[in-house]
Amino acid sequence: MKQLILGITVFFCAPEVQAQAVWTMQQCMQYAVKHNHEVKRAELELDNYQAGKTAAIGRFLPEIDARVGAQYNFGRAIDPETNIYTDVSTFSNVYSLQASLPVFDGFSRIHALRAAKASVLMGQSAFRQKQNQTALSVLQAYANAAYYEGLVRMAGEKVEETTLLLRQTRVLEEVGRKSSADVAQVESQKAEADYELTHQQNLLASALLELKKGMNYPLTDSLRLTIDEVTARDARDYGSLPTSRNLVPELLVAQYQMQASKHEWHQARSAILPTLSFSAGLNTTYFHTLHSDDAQSFRSQLKNNMGEYLGFTLSIPLFNRLQTATSIRRAKNNYRIACENYAQKQLELEKLAREAWQDWQGYLKQTEQMLQKVEADSIAYQLTRRQFEEGLSTAIDLHTTSSQLLKSKATLLQCRLMAIVKEQLVRYYQGIAIWTE
């Protein structure tokens, strides 16, 4: 019964384990977005912006504080009951409750709140930007790893092919149809194929380490990729060059930074206006002469000494050693810098979007051309190999056509992968989150 249960468990769990063992491009990007350290830092920075917005809202609320003080006097001091000097020791308590609220502050709080709201939007855009940048980085690393994995497969097939060819050549040597020189040349090709396989395996291991680093994936765990289902869509699916780059998080960050700088500039200018604040409170005291039983009770003193007050305070700035003028000047310059950054970012994104679109179309055309070249090189290699077996061509000719075919396959794989990368860049410049389905 235990063996039956174990077998059923393995049967149902095996597909899931196998599915998790092979990672697609989309799964790698989604994993990286969730676990990458830079994305987590951007999320924490966004929380700081939200905390700043909460603090800006809190400035509209009254400030309330309570104070309690205790004082022990000995030696010569003033008696609070008689207001004359005395030499007796006394103990006193002071209790106060105060509330204050700024009525007018030159609209400083309003501009601070608007700047905080713009900062929150900027933080949200920066968070999405970091997610997309992480996904793009992992996409490039995935393409590199998939490219080297494809080269490893080709090199492995080349090793098997040269091994079989070496056996055939030795058989042909035994029957007198091939010379020892032909066998030596094929052995050289076999050694070269073995070296190329080892070299590509080392490059694949390095590419996988780089991919794991970008994903924040455990470096000691295995990571298998699949490149069979990786294809690029036709550029005609998009119609024409995309122009909706106002939704790109990178541009939104510059836009909201400009808005925040503008409100900070207005907030700095509000310092030249007068401020009016309202305050209200109450206080009471308790006094007791030590070693004396004539003092009133604690409750009666708190009640009898209770006092309340209301007040308005008007503050008019006159001169503060040019601090306000300097702050306004800096804030204005920061706003102008943000405007320049926004205009520059627009120009850069326009250029990069057009480059990505052109590169995507170019790689799609190159893929079609390389498909034809691979087919032609495959036919040439098959014919050359048949001629070699019949003694009509040399091992050098066979090696030349074989190397040409391998190079064409590698170039085709590279064009396919680069078309996928450029397609995702086009989607990014359209403001689409490329790491989502």
Side-chain angles (χ1 to χ4, degrees), residues 409-425:
K409 288 183 178 180
T411 305
L412 174 61
L413 177 60
Q414 184 181 21
C415 291
R416 283 178 172 174
L417 293 173
M418 291 306 298
I420 296 170
V421 173
K422 297 303 179 180
E423 178 193 359
Q424 297 300 325
L425 279 176

Side-chain angles (χ1 to χ4, degrees), residues 98 119 139 177 191 230 309 328 336 426:
Q98 180 180 354
S119 297
L139 172 63
R177 297 180 57 183
V230 178
Y309 67 91
I328 295 175
R336 290 180 175 179
V426 170

Side-chain angles (χ1 to χ4, degrees), residues 257-376:
Q257 178 64 50
M258 180 178 62
Q259 294 180 5
S261 299
K262 180 180 180 180
H263 293 300
E264 290 173 355
W265 173 33
H266 292 167
Q267 182 183 1
R269 290 194 306 180
S270 64
I272 63 178
L273 300 177
T275 60
L276 178 65
S277 61
F278 168 76
S279 60
L282 54 88
N283 55 58
T284 184
T285 59
Y286 168 75
F287 177 81
H288 176 65
T289 302
L290 299 180
H291 310 294
S292 176
D293 299 333
D294 299 336
Q296 299 180 9
S297 64
F298 180 79
R299 178 177 299 180
S300 60
Q301 286 197 38
L302 291 182
K303 181 179 180 181
N304 296 333
N305 297 333
M306 181 72 67
E308 300 87 9
Y309 67 91
L310 299 174
F312 288 91
T313 302
L314 178 64
S315 177
I316 302 176
L318 297 178
F319 181 74
N320 63 347
R321 296 176 296 181
L322 303 179
Q323 296 298 318
T324 301
T326 304
S327 299
I328 295 175
R329 183 177 180 180
R330 290 176 179 174
K332 184 178 181 180
N333 290 335
N334 291 335
Y335 170 64
R336 290 180 175 179
I337 292 173
C339 292
E340 295 295 332
N341 292 336
Y342 178 71
Q344 181 182 4
K345 190 63 63 177
Q346 281 184 316
L347 182 61
E348 290 179 355
L349 289 177
E350 179 72 21
K351 173 181 174 295
L352 293 175
R354 291 184 177 274
E355 285 182 351
W357 178 263
Q358 294 173 0
D359 292 342
W360 181 30
Q361 290 182 325
Y363 279 115
L364 288 176
K365 294 179 181 179
Q366 293 176 25
T367 300
E368 295 178 358
Q369 296 169 354
M370 288 307 302
L371 282 172
Q372 300 175 1
K373 189 174 187 304
V374 167
E375 184 178 357

Side-chain angles (χ1 to χ4, degrees), residues 157-406:
E157 295 173 357
K158 183 64 176 178
V159 169
E160 296 177 358
E161 184 180 350
T162 53
T163 302
L164 179 60
L165 181 62
L166 179 60
R167 293 176 183 175
Q168 294 176 352
T169 307
R170 287 175 177 174
V171 172
L172 293 175
E173 181 189 14
E174 293 177 356
V175 298
R177 297 180 57 183
K178 293 294 180 181
S179 64
S180 59
D182 294 329
V183 175
Q185 290 177 353
V186 176
E187 288 178 348
S188 175
Q189 296 178 16
K190 172 65 168 55
E192 182 182 356
D194 292 336
Y195 164 79
E196 187 66 22
L197 175 59
T198 303
H199 178 64
Q200 298 300 334
Q201 287 175 344
N202 292 334
L203 293 178
L204 174 60
S206 300
L208 286 176
L209 284 177
E210 189 66 24
L211 176 59
K212 292 177 182 179
K213 176 185 175 183
M215 294 172 56
N216 195 22
Y217 187 83
L219 299 180
T220 56
D221 293 351
S222 61
L223 183 63
R224 294 176 53 194
L225 309 181
T226 174
I227 60 176
D228 298 333
E229 299 179 356
V230 178
T231 56
R233 290 193 291 269
D234 193 343
R236 290 172 295 186
D237 296 342
Y238 287 79
S240 60
L241 177 65
T243 57
S244 57
R245 282 179 291 280
N246 292 329
L247 300 178
V248 178
E250 189 175 357
L251 183 61
L252 291 176
V253 170
Q255 179 181 352
Y256 292 130
Q257 178 64 50
M258 180 178 62
Q259 294 180 5
S261 299
K262 180 180 180 180
H263 293 300
E264 290 173 355
W265 173 33
H266 292 167
Q267 182 183 1
R269 290 194 306 180
S270 64
I272 63 178
L273 300 177
T275 60
L276 178 65
S277 61
F278 168 76
S279 60
L282 54 88
N283 55 58
T284 184
T285 59
Y286 168 75
F287 177 81
H288 176 65
T289 302
L290 299 180
H291 310 294
S292 176
D293 299 333
D294 299 336
Q296 299 180 9
S297 64
F298 180 79
R299 178 177 299 180
S300 60
Q301 286 197 38
L302 291 182
K303 181 179 180 181
N304 296 333
N305 297 333
M306 181 72 67
E308 300 87 9
Y309 67 91
L310 299 174
F312 288 91
T313 302
L314 178 64
S315 177
I316 302 176
L318 297 178
F319 181 74
N320 63 347
R321 296 176 296 181
L322 303 179
Q323 296 298 318
T324 301
T326 304
S327 299
I328 295 175
R329 183 177 180 180
R330 290 176 179 174
K332 184 178 181 180
N333 290 335
N334 291 335
Y335 170 64
R336 290 180 175 179
I337 292 173
C339 292
E340 295 295 332
N341 292 336
Y342 178 71
Q344 181 182 4
K345 190 63 63 177
Q346 281 184 316
L347 182 61
E348 290 179 355
L349 289 177
E350 179 72 21
K351 173 181 174 295
L352 293 175
R354 291 184 177 274
E355 285 182 351
W357 178 263
Q358 294 173 0
D359 292 342
W360 181 30
Q361 290 182 325
Y363 279 115
L364 288 176
K365 294 179 181 179
Q366 293 176 25
T367 300
E368 295 178 358
Q369 296 169 354
M370 288 307 302
L371 282 172
Q372 300 175 1
K373 189 174 187 304
V374 167
E375 184 178 357
D377 289 341
S378 178
I379 296 175
Y381 171 73
Q382 296 296 332
L383 293 176
T384 304
R385 180 169 180 175
R386 183 177 301 176
Q387 292 176 355
F388 174 77
E389 294 173 354
E390 296 176 356
L392 300 178
S393 63
T394 63
I396 297 178
D397 297 332
L398 182 62
H399 179 264
T400 301
T401 55
S402 176
S403 300
Q404 186 67 31
L405 176 60
L406 183 62

